[in-house]
Tab-separated table of all heavy atoms in Angstrom:
chain	number	residue	atom	x	y	z
A	29	GLU	N	16.565	-19.042	-36.738
A	29	GLU	CA	16.215	-19.991	-37.800
A	29	GLU	C	14.946	-19.554	-38.533
A	29	GLU	O	14.874	-19.600	-39.761
A	29	GLU	CB	16.023	-21.382	-37.196
A	29	GLU	CG	15.726	-22.453	-38.240
A	29	GLU	CD	15.657	-23.833	-37.648
A	29	GLU	OE1	15.738	-23.975	-36.412
A	29	GLU	OE2	15.519	-24.797	-38.437
A	30	GLN	N	13.945	-19.084	-37.764
A	30	GLN	CA	12.687	-18.664	-38.372
A	30	GLN	C	12.872	-17.473	-39.299
A	30	GLN	O	12.233	-17.384	-40.348
A	30	GLN	CB	11.677	-18.332	-37.265
A	30	GLN	CG	10.312	-17.924	-37.762
A	30	GLN	CD	9.354	-17.631	-36.612
A	30	GLN	OE1	9.483	-18.200	-35.535
A	30	GLN	NE2	8.418	-16.742	-36.842
A	31	ARG	N	13.770	-16.560	-38.931
A	31	ARG	CA	13.984	-15.354	-39.724
A	31	ARG	C	15.038	-15.527	-40.815
A	31	ARG	O	15.332	-14.581	-41.546
A	31	ARG	CB	14.388	-14.197	-38.794
A	31	ARG	CG	13.343	-13.870	-37.749
A	31	ARG	CD	13.785	-12.730	-36.842
A	31	ARG	NE	12.846	-12.519	-35.739
A	31	ARG	CZ	12.912	-11.520	-34.877
A	31	ARG	NH1	13.883	-10.615	-34.996
A	31	ARG	NH2	12.040	-11.410	-33.900
A	32	GLY	N	15.577	-16.721	-40.896
A	32	GLY	CA	16.535	-16.991	-41.967
A	32	GLY	C	17.934	-16.470	-41.723
A	32	GLY	O	18.718	-16.333	-42.680
A	33	PHE	N	18.284	-16.218	-40.469
A	33	PHE	CA	19.623	-15.705	-40.152
A	33	PHE	C	20.566	-16.796	-39.654
A	33	PHE	O	21.765	-16.573	-39.551
A	33	PHE	CB	19.543	-14.598	-39.093
A	33	PHE	CG	19.047	-13.289	-39.623
A	33	PHE	CD1	17.700	-12.963	-39.564
A	33	PHE	CD2	19.918	-12.383	-40.196
A	33	PHE	CE1	17.239	-11.753	-40.042
A	33	PHE	CE2	19.472	-11.162	-40.677
A	33	PHE	CZ	18.119	-10.852	-40.606
A	34	LEU	N	20.044	-17.959	-39.287
A	34	LEU	CA	20.888	-19.000	-38.717
A	34	LEU	C	21.736	-19.631	-39.822
A	34	LEU	O	21.214	-20.136	-40.822
A	34	LEU	CB	20.031	-20.067	-38.044
A	34	LEU	CG	20.780	-21.097	-37.204
A	34	LEU	CD1	21.503	-20.413	-36.046
A	34	LEU	CD2	19.818	-22.157	-36.670
A	35	VAL	N	23.037	-19.597	-39.647
A	35	VAL	CA	23.975	-20.085	-40.656
A	35	VAL	C	24.510	-21.445	-40.231
A	35	VAL	O	24.978	-21.612	-39.098
A	35	VAL	CB	25.150	-19.095	-40.831
A	35	VAL	CG1	26.136	-19.625	-41.877
A	35	VAL	CG2	24.633	-17.724	-41.226
A	36	ALA	N	24.421	-22.412	-41.142
A	36	ALA	CA	24.987	-23.724	-40.870
A	36	ALA	C	26.514	-23.638	-40.933
A	36	ALA	O	27.075	-23.154	-41.910
A	36	ALA	CB	24.474	-24.745	-41.888
A	37	ARG	N	27.186	-24.079	-39.849
A	37	ARG	CA	28.637	-24.007	-39.809
A	37	ARG	C	29.248	-25.095	-40.699
A	37	ARG	O	28.776	-26.234	-40.701
A	37	ARG	CB	29.154	-24.193	-38.386
A	37	ARG	CG	29.304	-22.921	-37.565
A	37	ARG	CD	28.124	-22.008	-37.671
A	37	ARG	NE	28.260	-20.817	-36.797
A	37	ARG	CZ	27.350	-19.921	-36.656
A	37	ARG	NH1	26.187	-20.028	-37.321
A	37	ARG	NH2	27.542	-18.874	-35.878
A	38	ARG	N	30.287	-24.690	-41.443
A	38	ARG	CA	30.986	-25.641	-42.315
A	38	ARG	C	32.451	-25.247	-42.442
A	38	ARG	O	32.828	-24.128	-42.100
A	38	ARG	CB	30.317	-25.716	-43.689
A	38	ARG	CG	30.063	-24.408	-44.369
A	38	ARG	CD	29.012	-24.546	-45.456
A	38	ARG	NE	28.692	-23.261	-46.088
A	38	ARG	CZ	29.192	-22.839	-47.236
A	38	ARG	NH1	30.050	-23.620	-47.893
A	38	ARG	NH2	28.853	-21.668	-47.731
A	39	GLU	N	33.245	-26.193	-42.926
A	39	GLU	CA	34.676	-25.954	-43.103
A	39	GLU	C	34.898	-24.922	-44.210
A	39	GLU	O	34.180	-24.892	-45.210
A	39	GLU	CB	35.396	-27.252	-43.469
A	39	GLU	CG	35.404	-28.305	-42.379
A	39	GLU	CD	36.218	-27.876	-41.187
A	39	GLU	OE1	37.158	-27.060	-41.362
A	39	GLU	OE2	35.919	-28.341	-40.070
A	40	THR	N	35.917	-24.090	-44.019
A	40	THR	CA	36.186	-23.015	-44.985
A	40	THR	C	37.387	-23.307	-45.878
A	40	THR	O	37.692	-22.524	-46.793
A	40	THR	CB	36.444	-21.695	-44.230
A	40	THR	OG1	37.572	-21.873	-43.346
A	40	THR	CG2	35.226	-21.287	-43.426
Side-chain angles (χ1 to χ4, degrees):
E29 183 175 5
Q30 182 179 331
R31 300 179 187 187
F33 285 93
L34 190 62
V35 179
R37 270 46 177 184
R38 50 199 177 99
E39 294 293 333
T40 59

